[in-house]
DNA sequence: TTGTACGCGTTATCAG
DNA sequence: CTGATAACGCGTACAA
C-alpha cells in the first residue's frame, strides 16, 4: 500500500505495510535494539518496498538538532574568486565536520540582502553551529549568531566579539618578522603595499611592518588599497614608484598583491630581486607562480579550518572553547 | 513571561504575552491581513519582548517547503581550489536563487563518505531543489536526486541522465573552431594536451580537435592527463616535446593546462608564440596572467549558474524545463 | 519485545 | 476579525 500519489512514504506507511506499530519501525530506523529478528526483517522489506526516506524536518523538530554546520563566507565577489586560502579552509573545516558525522553547509554572503537572508537562515534552526570566515566586526551575520547564542567560531579575529571564539594567526608578529628579514638583506628604502585595513589581518600586517621599521618608518612609503587583489598590487606599486622612485624593498600585504606589484615593477623596468626585493603574505598558489618565486609567510589554512570546526564541535559537546592562534612560518624564496 | 531557561520563545509564548491566540500571531507573522491594528501592535511588542524567532523545522514540516536550494560541488580537492569557473558559477546561481527569495546551500563532496552524506542530506528534505556541478555520470548524488525526483539541474552534460536537465556549452564545436583558427595561422604540427577524458567536457574538446584536423590528425600528438591542472600542463607538454620535438602548435584543454605548458616550453627553450603557438580553454584568470596572454575560449560561467538556477526554479513553479546550451566566444590574444 | 499516546512549533481550516 | 483545533512526521517515555 504505497502512500497517496506523489507523496513520500512515512513511518506510518512502513508500519502498516509491515504489520507492526510506528514505534517499532522507529526503533529499527534508529538502531535502538529490542526488536525481534522477524519484525526487523519485515520492516526492512517494507522500507525498501514503499521507498521510505526519513523526513528530517520532522526529525529535527522533535530532536532539536539538525546535524548541520554552517560555513559562512563573507567576501566581495572578486576576492572570493581569487582568495586561495578560502578553499583550503573550507576543506579543512569539512574534513573535521564530516568526521563528526555532521553536514557542512556553505553560505555565501555577497550583498546586504544575502547577509539578511543568511542571518535568518542561521536563526531559523537550519544548523547547529557555524564557522564564520572573514566577517567584519560590524556584521549582520555575527549579530545574529551572537544574539541567538549559536555555537560558532571565527576564522580571523574580529574585534568586539568577545563571546565568539576565533582561530587566527599572529599577523603582526609574522609581518614584523618578515620585514626584519627583508631589512637584514640590506635594503634601504622599504615600502609597504597595504590592503584591507578595515580588517584585523590588514591592520595587523601594517602594524607589524611599522614595528620592524621603528624610527625608519616613513608613512609616505605606505600605499593602501581596499582588497587583497592582483589589481591592487599593480595599482599600489605604480603609485609607490611614483612617490619614491628609488625604492628597493617592498612588503606586499598578500601574495596576490605581490604578484601585481612584480608586474608593475617589470613594466617600470625594475628587476626583482636585483633592483627591488619583494615579499608577500599567505604562501598561496601565487607564490610559486610568480617569477621569481615569492618569499612569503605560510598560512596554515587547512589547519585553521580544522581548528574552527573543532571549536564549534566542542561547544556542541558542552565544552567551553578557547580561541587559538596558529603559528606561521616565513618561506624564503628568490624574490627577496 | 519569557520561556523556560535557555529555550527559545515560541508562537505560543508570544500569544500568551499579547493575550491573543496562536492563530492571530501566525497571521501577523505571515502578513496575511485580517488583523486589527490593536492586536497587531500588541503582538509586535510581544515578539520583540520575548525575542521570538521562527522555528523553521516546524514551519518546513507543515509547509513541505524549505526555501533552500542545494549547490553540489563534486570535484577533487586540488581542482576545486584551482578551478576559476566554479566561483563564478556559484555567484551566478546565488544571484538568481536569492532573487527568488531562496537560500543557496553549498555542499562540497570531497570523498565517498561525503557523497553518501550529501545524498542523504538531499533526500532528507533539507532543500527544495539542487544545482549539480561537475557530477560524473555514475554518481551517488545524482542517483539520489533522480530517485527522489528532486527538482535539479546539471552544469555540464553528464550522459545517461535524461531525466535531469542541464546547462552546458558546446565544447566540441568550440574546440573545433579554436583548432581551425590555430591551423589558419599556418602551424604544421599541432598537438593536444587533453584532460579529464572521463568527462563530457574533456572528451568533447578532444573530439572537436580531431574534427578540425581531419586527415591530418595524428594520435601520437595527443597526450592526456586526468585533471585540468597546471601540473598536468607541465607534464603533458614535456611528454609531447619528447614525442615530437618539432611541434609548432598546441591546443591545451584548459587555461591552467596551457599555463603549465608555457612553463614547460620556456624550460625547453621554446618561444611562445614564435616557435610554438598555444591556445587554452575557459578564459579564466590564468589567461591574462600568462606571458604572453592566452588565446582561449570564453566560458560564460556566471550565465551558466544563472541558467541552472532558473531551471530549478522553473521546476519548483511547476514548469517543464528544457536543457540549454550557451554560446562561447574565441578570445584571440598573443599566445597564438 | 511491542504498542500507545503525547509533544515538538507551525500553518491552515473552520466556526464564531 | 479572532480563536479553537487538526494536521505535519517523527522520537520516546510508559504501559502492556
Amino acid at each position: 500500500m504505497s502512500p497517496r500519489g506523489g507523496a513520500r512514504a512515512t513511518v506510518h506507511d512502513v508500519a502498516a505495510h509491515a504489520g507492526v506499530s510506528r514505534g517499532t519501525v522507529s526503533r529499527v530506523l534508529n538502531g535502538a535494539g529490542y526488536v525481534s529478528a522477524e519484525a526487523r526483517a519485515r520492516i526492512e522489506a517494507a522500507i525498501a518496498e514503499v521507498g521510505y526516506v526519513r523526513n528530517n524536518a520532522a526529525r529535527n523538530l522533535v530532536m532539536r538538532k539538525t546535524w548541520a554546520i554552517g560555513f559562512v563566507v563573507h567576501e566581495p565577489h572578486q576576492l572570493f574568486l581569487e582568495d586561495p586560502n578560502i578553499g583550503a579552509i573550507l576543506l579543512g573545516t569539512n574534513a573535521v565536520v564530516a568526521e563528526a558525522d555532521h553536514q557542512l553547509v556553505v553560505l555565501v554572503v555577497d550583498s546586504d540582502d544575502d547577509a539578511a537572508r543568511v542571518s535568518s537562515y542561521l536563526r531559523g534552526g537550519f544548523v547547529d553551529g557555524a564557522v564564520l570566515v572573514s566577517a567584519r566586526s560590524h556584521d549582520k551575520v555575527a549579530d545574529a549568531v551572537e544574539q541567538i547564542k549559536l555555537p560558532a567560531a571565527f576564522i580571523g579575529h574580529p574585534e568586539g566579539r568577545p563571546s565568539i571564539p576565533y582561530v587566527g594567526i599572529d599577523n603582526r608578529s609574522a609581518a614584523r618578522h618578515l620585514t626584519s628579514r627583508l631589512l637584514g638583506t640590506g635594503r634601504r628604502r622599504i615600502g609597504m603595499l597595504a590592503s584591507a585595513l578595515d580588517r584585523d589581518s590588514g591592520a595587523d600586517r601594517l602594524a607589524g611592518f611599522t614595528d620592524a621599521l621603528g624610527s625608519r618608518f616613513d608613512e609616505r612609503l605606505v600605499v593602501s588599497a581596499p582588497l587583497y587583489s592582483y589589481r591592487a598590487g599593480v595599482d599600489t606599486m605604480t603609485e609607490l614608484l611614483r612617490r619614491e622612485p628609488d625604492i628597493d624593498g617592498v612588503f606586499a600585504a598578500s601574495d596576490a598583491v605581490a604578484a601585481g606589484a612584480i608586474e608593475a615593477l617589470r613594466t617600470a623596468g625594475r628587476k626583482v630581486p636585483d633592483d627591488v626585493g619583494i615579499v608577500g603574505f599567505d604562501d598561496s598558489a601565487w607564490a610559486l607562480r610568480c617569477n621569481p618565486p615569492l618569499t612569503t609567510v605560510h598560512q596554515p589554512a587547512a589547519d585553521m579550518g580544522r581548528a574552527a570546526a573543532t571549536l564549534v564541535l566542542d561547544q556542541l559537546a558542552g565544552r567551553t572553547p578557547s580561541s587559538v592562534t596558529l603559528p606561521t612560518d616565513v618561506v624564503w624564496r628568490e624574490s627577496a
Side-chain angles (χ1 to χ4, degrees), chain A residues 11 66 85 171 278:
Chain A
V11 166
T66 65
N85 278 319
N171 281 286
I278 183 165

Side-chain angles (χ1 to χ4, degrees), chain A residues 168-183 192 200-213 228 251-254 279-283 295-300 304 325-332:
Chain A
I169 59 169
D170 189 342
N171 281 286
R172 184 167 186 159
S173 77
R176 186 190 311 126
H177 187 191
L178 185 59
T179 306
S180 299
R181 285 194 58 173
L182 183 56
L183 273 166
M192 171 160 185
D200 63 299
S201 62
D204 289 352
R205 288 172 200 183
L206 174 55
F209 174 78
T210 310
D211 290 349
L213 251 35
Y228 292 117
F251 171 30
S254 88
V279 298
F281 208 106
D282 290 344
D283 197 20
T295 291
T296 186
V297 174
H298 180 73
Q299 287 226 41
M304 295 173 77
T325 297
L326 264 23
T328 55
D329 295 307
V330 169
V331 184
W332 205 263

Side-chain angles (χ1 to χ4, degrees), chain A residues 63-296:
Chain A
M63 294 183 67
R64 293 143 172 276
K65 168 118 176 118
T66 65
W67 297 93
I69 305 277
F71 184 92
V72 183
V73 182
H74 201 318
E75 295 276 10
H77 301 224
Q78 197 47 39
L79 194 54
F80 173 69
L81 300 182
E82 285 199 1
D83 191 328
N85 278 319
I86 232 158
I89 294 172
L90 172 58
L91 260 17
T93 305
N94 187 51
V96 170
V97 165
E99 175 69 26
D101 259 314
H102 287 235
Q103 172 60 52
L104 193 68
V105 161
V106 182
L107 305 166
V108 324
V109 177
D110 187 38
S111 68
D112 287 348
D113 280 356
D114 283 356
R117 209 161 5 74
V118 167
S119 303
S120 76
Y121 185 88
L122 259 23
R123 318 179 98 101
F126 281 99
V127 296
D128 297 337
V131 171
L132 274 17
V133 181
S134 5
R136 312 301 200 286
S137 300
H138 308 293
D139 182 315
K140 228 166 189 165
V141 176
D143 286 344
V145 165
E146 192 152 39
Q147 194 200 330
I148 65 174
K149 301 193 195 345
L150 185 72
F154 279 117
I155 301 249
H157 182 186
E159 289 165 26
R161 296 281 179 196
S163 72
I164 304 177
Y166 63 85
V167 15
I169 59 169
D170 189 342
N171 281 286
R172 184 167 186 159
S173 77
R176 186 190 311 126
H177 187 191
L178 185 59
T179 306
S180 299
R181 285 194 58 173
L182 183 56
L183 273 166
T185 63
R187 308 286 174 178
R188 292 301 183 166
R189 298 292 286 166
I190 298 187
M192 171 160 185
L193 310 180
S195 282
L197 292 176
D198 58 329
R199 289 160 59 177
D200 63 299
S201 62
D204 289 352
R205 288 172 200 183
L206 174 55
F209 174 78
T210 310
D211 290 349
L213 251 35
S215 61
R216 290 197 268 174
F217 176 73
D218 177 353
E219 64 175 4
R220 285 185 51 260
L221 302 190
V222 175
V223 186
S224 71
L227 299 182
Y228 292 117
S229 68
Y230 181 89
R231 187 73 236 162
V234 175
D235 294 343
T236 52
M237 187 66 234
T238 304
E239 168 64 13
L240 182 57
L241 279 171
R242 197 187 61 71
R243 291 194 195 169
E244 189 70 22
D246 61 336
I247 199 90
D248 66 355
V250 174
F251 171 30
S254 88
D255 290 350
V257 174
I262 287 178
E263 179 61 31
L265 285 167
R266 184 191 314 166
T267 303
R270 311 296 170 98
K271 289 214 175 77
V272 176
D274 302 343
D275 302 333
V276 181
I278 183 165
V279 298
F281 208 106
D282 290 344
D283 197 20
S284 64
W286 288 98
L288 286 172
R289 216 175 282 157
C290 282
N291 189 2
L294 224 49
T295 291
T296 186

